[in-house]
Structures are given as C-alpha cells and as structure tokens.
C-alpha cells in the first residue's frame, strides 16, 4: 500500500512539474532577441489550415519551442559545462577552447561561397571601377582558427589554399598579405575579432603597399565597459570578459564622420561610445555595422581618397589608415545593395581596398 501511495505521489508531482512548465511556456512573455547569442529568436508561427497541412506550422513551432523555453540560457549553460567538464567533449556545437581562447570551427572551405563572393566583387569592379584610374587591392584576414585549430587537433581550413584559391578568382586585384603579422593573441579571447592596439604593423603594411606613408603616434585608451565577445553567449560558458583598447590622436579626434546608413547623412564619430554601451561593445569602432560611412580628414597632407569594402574587421583597422587620406569611405555590402552604390559614391581616382575575413568569404550569402 505504501509503495502504491508513493507511486501516486511521484506521478502527481511529475504531472505538476510538467503542467507548471507547460503553463510557463504558454503564459510567459516571449523574447524577441537573445542578447547572449546575438540573434533574433523564433516567434510563434502563423496557424492556419494551409500551414498545418503543409507541415510548415510544426516545423516553425519546433524552432519556436526551442527558442522560447523557460530558463533556456541556464539549460544551455548546464549542457555546455556538462559537455566540456563531465563528458570531456572537445567542442560543443562547434565551439572549442584552446590556448586560453574560445573559438568556433570554420571547416571545410566552400568553393561555392568563394565563387559567390568573387562574383559580387566582379560586379562591383565591372560596374564602377573598370577602365578608371583606380588602384584595386585585396587583403584577407584569417580567422583566429588559423592559429588555434590545427595545432590543437581540430579540423581546420588550409588557409594558404583558401587564400590562393580566392586570389585566382579576383586576379585584377593586387594582393596584400598580412597573415605573417598575426598570431592568436592578436584576437580577443572571447570574440572572433582582432585587437586594434595590435594592428599598427598591419596598417603600415597595407598603407605602404598602396603607396601611403603612416607616421602618426597614438594614445592607447582602455574602455571601462567589459567586453563579452560573441563566443561568451554562443559557448554558454561563464567566461571572463575581454578588455577593449582603442587608439586616438588629434587626427582622429578632428575627423568628420558621416553615416549614410539610413540614406540621410547623420553625424557620427570614429569611436561610438553609445554603441560601446550596447549589445555588442565591438561596435565602438566606426559604429559597427553601418552600411556606408564617410570619414573626412581635415589634417590630411594629400587629396587622396580610399574606399574600403569591408566586414566588421575593417571597423577597427580603418581609423589607422585615415592619416594617409583626405577621405575614407567604408562600404559594407551586407547592408547596402551593390547596385545602389553608384547613387551614393562617385567612383573616380580612388584607391580601393577589399578587406574581408576568411569567415565571411566562406559564408558569403550575406552579400547583396
């Protein structure tokens, strides 16, 4: 009798827990965005006869239930800690720890993605630059797996092959190699990006190959906001934050920065402190993901201009090139259609630098 009573109590408690979680799932206010993962979360799908019969509702409902589960971040953290510390897994959802860094596997090389990126760049060249007095350069930023993955036993791109393959697809560009100037510690420990304070030699090499001399000195500043890089949230581990340092001098202080992200000119600054206090502290540099930024340097000793087609790695490097140009235009074709650029930029007699990370080139569907 006691055993039967105990079983009934267990069943009632289990039912109560399931009912509580079910009600919590349905009644709690849903989240639109995951700050830890930096992505939009799935919303409740449209319910109709058509979506039910097609299976679309159930497919999207599964994504919704996984994204909106109560205590989701705590559950993710428990899973990650268990995977790494109890089961001794070498990675969790492609996130791995090595040499004090957190990183995400990037493998294998996708030639289809390289073809797509090369086709986008070819369109830009043919439409806006061919036949004009413009020097076109390319520099590829290896992701930090180039210095972490293979040496620690993880699957890794063949970075030499990757770069050579892409160079052959855009042979109208002059290549500027920077790989030998980099190491894992030139990148943030919890993020994919590189540290601006370590980029002066990179800027010197790129500028020198474009025929520009850089000689300015900088003051190193420490941002008083902790930087929890993208891998803090993606790993779901309790990681110590990085520290962001940024370089300033009179030239950068006096640069006039204008954003055309919305189509209308908006005054910005080289270092955007409002963005630094937002969801992604790295957006301190050149306002992060702005589609089109123009920086004018009143102190320039030349009338030369530079156009940088870039991803987020270019945000922190661009300020270090401004000394050598009267005007630097930053373009991110993930956020502005390539076909629209002729209405926004007068392409004539500029240097043009395509500066892209291996990660984006290997996942180039974001290009417009």
């Amino acid at each position: 009798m006691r055993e039967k009573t105990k079983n009934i109590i267990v069943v009632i408690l289990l039912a109560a827990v399931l009912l509580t979680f079910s009600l919590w799932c349905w009644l709690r206010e849903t989240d639109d965005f995951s700050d830890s993962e930096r992505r939009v979360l799935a919303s409740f799908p449209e319910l109709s006869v058509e979506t039910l019969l097609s299976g679309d509702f159930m497919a999207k409902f599964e994504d919704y239930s996984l994204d909106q589960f109560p205590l989701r971040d705590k559950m993710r953290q428990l899973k990650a800690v268990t995977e790494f510390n109890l089961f001794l897994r070498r990675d969790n959802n492609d996130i791995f720890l090595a040499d004090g860094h957190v990183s995400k596997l990037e493998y294998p090389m996708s030639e289809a993605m390289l073809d797509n990126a090369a086709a986008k760049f070819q369109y830009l060249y043919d439409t806006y630059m061919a036949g004009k007095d413009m020097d076109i350069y390319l520099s590829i930023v290896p992701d930090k797996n180039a210095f972490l993955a293979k040496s620690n036993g993880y699957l890794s791109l063949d970075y030499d092959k990757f770069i050579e393959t892409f160079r052959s697809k855009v042979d109208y560009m002059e290549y500027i190699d920077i790989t030998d100037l980099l190491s894992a510690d030139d990148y943030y420990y919890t993020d994919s990006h590189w540290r601006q304070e370590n980029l002066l030699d990179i800027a010197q090499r790129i500028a020198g190959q474009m025929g520009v001399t850089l000689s300015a000195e900088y003051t190193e500043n420490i941002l008083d906001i902790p930087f929890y890089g993208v891998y803090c949230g993606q790993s779901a581990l309790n990681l110590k934050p990085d520290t962001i340092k940024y370089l300033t001098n009179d030239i950068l202080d006096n640069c006039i920065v204008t954003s055309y992200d919305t189509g209308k000119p908006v005054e910005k600054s080289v270092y955007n402190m409002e963005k630094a206090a937002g969801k992604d502290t790295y957006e301190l540099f050149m306002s992060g993901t702005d589609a089109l930024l123009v920086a004018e340097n009143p102190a320039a000793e030349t009338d030369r201009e530079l156009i940088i087609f870039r991803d987020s790695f270019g945000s922190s490097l661009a300020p270090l090139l401004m000394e050598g140009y009267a005007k630097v235009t930053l373009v991110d074709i993930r956020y502005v259609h390539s076909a629209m650029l002729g209405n926004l930029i007068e392409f004539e007699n500029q240097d043009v630098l395509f500066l892209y990370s291996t990660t984006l080139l290997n996942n180039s569907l974001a290009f417009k």
Side-chain angles (χ1 to χ4, degrees), residues 349-368:
N349 197 32
Q350 298 108 331
D351 293 336
V352 179
L353 172 64
F354 287 78
L355 179 71
Y356 285 96
S357 65
T358 51
T359 302
L360 186 55
L361 293 176
N362 206 41
N363 300 272
S364 64
L365 289 180
F367 289 143
K368 295 180 179 179

Side-chain angles (χ1 to χ4, degrees), residues 242-364:
D242 275 290
T243 298
I244 283 188
K245 299 178 181 179
Y246 60 101
L247 304 177
T248 59
N249 58 21
D250 290 341
I251 294 172
L252 294 182
D253 290 343
N254 292 315
C255 278
I256 302 165
V257 180
T258 307
S259 167
Y260 295 89
D261 193 51
T262 63
K264 296 181 180 180
V266 177
E267 184 178 344
K268 293 286 181 77
S269 56
V270 173
Y271 300 112
N272 189 326
M273 294 303 166
E274 184 178 342
K275 289 274 192 177
K279 294 176 180 178
D280 183 359
T281 309
Y282 183 79
E283 291 194 339
L284 159 79
F285 299 105
M286 300 302 294
S287 298
T289 56
D290 264 39
L292 181 63
L293 277 172
V294 176
E296 297 173 90
N297 174 14
E301 298 179 357
T302 175
D303 60 356
R304 292 181 65 169
E305 296 183 10
L306 172 65
I307 299 173
I308 305 177
F309 288 92
R310 54 93 182 202
D311 57 19
S312 50
F313 280 80
S315 299
S316 52
L317 180 69
L320 307 183
L321 298 173
M322 290 180 186
E323 172 198 354
Y325 290 92
K327 182 178 179 181
V328 176
T329 301
L330 280 74
V331 185
D332 194 332
I333 58 171
R334 292 174 297 173
Y335 306 107
V336 59
H337 284 280
S338 298
M340 296 294 296
L341 291 178
N343 300 323
L344 304 170
I345 303 171
E346 184 177 350
F347 289 87
E348 194 70 46
N349 197 32
Q350 298 108 331
D351 293 336
V352 179
L353 172 64
F354 287 78
L355 179 71
Y356 285 96
S357 65
T358 51
T359 302
L360 186 55
L361 293 176
N362 206 41
N363 300 272
S364 64

